[in-house]
Amino acid sequence: MKLRALLVALGSALASVVATAAPAGAATVPGPATTAPTRATVPATTAPARAAAPTTAARPGCGHRATDRALARLTREHGLAGAAVAVADPYCGRWSRADGTADLRTGRPMNARDRLRIGSVTKTFTATVVLQLADEGRLRLDAPVDRYLPGLVRGNGYDGRAISVRQLLQHTGGLPDHSAALADEDTDHLRHHHFEPRELVRRALLLPHPTGRWHYSTTNYLLAGLVIEQVTGRPAEKEITRRIIRPLRLRDTYWPGRSARIRGPHSRSYFTEERNGTAVRVDGTEWNASAGGTGGALISTPADVNRFFGALLSGRLLSAPRLAEMRRTVPGDPDRLGPDGRYGLGLITSPLSCGGRWTGHTGSTRAGHHSVAAVAPDGRRATLVVNQTPDTDAAARAMLTALDTALCERD
């Protein structure tokens, strides 16, 4: 099972590391990789440092030692720069933990307050607005995409008249992911180029047809964003801001637009790539995220993401019947979601070691930020972030284990 796919392949359109990832033999060496002397690379000699984190009031079952150990494994055993988690717990309150380094140039410790690119967690925001429009009777989930975007999905055997809006949100319409068309693009080109959604859709339609009933594709969510724009007459980003970000007072959540920078306090982000046969760690913080679009471009913080999922799953953003539709899942590709992973309408569910299933979404970017946002059956919410691409299945597995620990720990 390709566990890394849950974090990498479920990222934004820039999440593909097929073309530039370091060879397994080089990338699996714990600790930082050797860095070439270029402007984009960063020193690799800064040792991970443990960040101070707020402590929860002493209550039985509210310790965090297991979470501390899980985060330390990510940075010290698997060589990721930094890892942090923010938790909102009905019993233990809000708490956060961190390990490693947010900025390798300065040695600033990692924390759970910084802004970062949340990648495909963006998809849940987009799906929510599509479902709100369905709640309002302004679109039909089972209507064909062609009704709202006539002629756009057509050619190479693809036909928007045979794909519904629901199938876009559920990844069951058989569309390829445009990230595959970007896999061979030069890193610096991807870093600076601004992509338009329709351009990326056209590139996706030139790709071979995926196999299987379920195929994860950020292209689906670019189309969902275009549907929002067509129905409302406003850009999807503005509509999502108006309907979700502003009412929930997600003050650290915003769309970067054409800017490659992250405003305000933020962690740096890193990924490894092969240069002249050597694995090097590259700073990907400045990055134009337009290839992710309404499927992966949002910038946020763990606390804001927790607030969003709390509002969504408690019924504040959708009617009860529509939320039930959103949570109705189908089996996903085991190589992407694991053997028991399932996908709803912009939501992933997966088993927890303490029983039940978490509900949320994963996110990653080619630039190096990775996140997992999840809610446990008892209402505990956790958003786990790392600021370096996990290059091995073992590192990805450790990240998911850390999430499970944060949701299940009753120390």
Side-chain angles (χ1 to χ4, degrees), residues 73-359:
R73 281 193 289 273
L74 286 168
T75 61
R76 303 174 192 200
E77 293 181 21
H78 298 287
L80 302 184
V85 65
V87 178
D89 190 318
Y91 176 70
C92 296
R94 292 182 175 86
W95 54 274
S96 66
R97 312 299 288 175
D99 201 277
T101 309
D103 186 337
L104 293 173
R105 298 175 303 180
T106 65
R108 183 168 65 87
M110 188 72 172
N111 66 77
R113 301 179 300 279
D114 279 351
R115 293 174 178 175
L116 75 157
R117 304 183 193 281
I118 61 172
S120 282
V121 177
T122 304
K123 289 180 172 64
T124 312
F125 286 75
T126 299
T128 300
V129 170
V130 172
L131 291 165
Q132 287 179 340
L133 293 171
D135 252 342
E136 296 163 11
R138 300 176 69 179
L139 64 77
R140 290 181 54 244
L141 291 179
D142 294 312
V145 173
D146 204 68
R147 173 179 296 183
Y148 306 104
L149 305 171
L152 180 59
V153 181
R154 201 76 61 84
N156 193 25
Y158 299 107
D159 190 345
R161 294 169 296 186
I163 301 169
S164 70
V165 175
R166 185 189 303 276
Q167 288 175 311
L168 294 181
L169 301 183
Q170 200 174 58
H171 299 299
T172 53
L175 291 176
D177 192 331
H178 62 270
S179 63
L182 304 178
D184 294 327
E185 296 275 357
D186 177 74
T187 297
D188 285 336
H189 174 69
L190 290 177
R191 183 191 293 271
H192 300 294
H193 185 74
H194 182 82
F195 294 93
E196 292 296 334
R198 290 173 183 266
E199 169 196 356
L200 293 169
V201 170
R202 287 193 293 270
R203 294 181 69 164
L205 298 181
L206 298 175
L207 294 169
H209 285 244
T211 59
R213 182 175 180 272
W214 188 88
H215 179 76
Y216 187 88
S217 171
T218 296
T219 306
N220 288 324
Y221 277 77
L222 296 185
L223 289 165
L226 291 171
V227 169
I228 293 172
E229 180 177 331
Q230 179 64 28
V231 170
T232 65
R234 288 181 287 270
E237 292 85 354
K238 289 188 177 181
E239 196 68 8
I240 292 167
T241 299
R242 185 179 76 85
R243 289 171 171 265
I244 297 177
I245 296 172
R246 195 172 296 134
L248 294 182
R249 298 182 180 179
L250 306 182
R251 295 187 175 90
D252 292 305
T253 303
Y254 74 96
W255 299 96
R258 290 178 175 268
S259 175
R261 298 182 178 274
I262 300 176
R263 302 195 303 256
H266 59 274
S267 65
R268 308 297 295 181
S269 64
Y270 307 96
F271 61 95
T272 53
E273 69 177 10
E274 183 179 324
R275 293 183 178 179
N276 299 320
T278 302
V280 299
R281 179 186 265 162
V282 180
D283 188 321
T285 311
E286 278 73 47
W287 199 284
N288 185 307
S290 57
T294 48
L298 270 177
I299 290 169
S300 190
T301 61
D304 271 9
V305 172
N306 279 343
R307 183 179 299 176
F308 164 65
F309 276 98
L312 173 64
L313 296 178
S314 66
R316 289 175 56 191
L317 298 177
L318 295 171
S319 68
R322 203 62 72 180
L323 180 59
E325 275 190 277
M326 188 181 201
R327 302 187 68 159
R328 193 173 302 131
T329 59
V330 297
D333 180 351
D335 282 348
R336 299 294 181 96
L337 301 185
D340 298 312
R342 299 179 66 87
Y343 204 91
L345 304 182
L347 287 174
I348 296 169
T349 72
S350 190
L352 283 166
S353 64
C354 51
R357 303 174 69 89
W358 62 256
T359 300

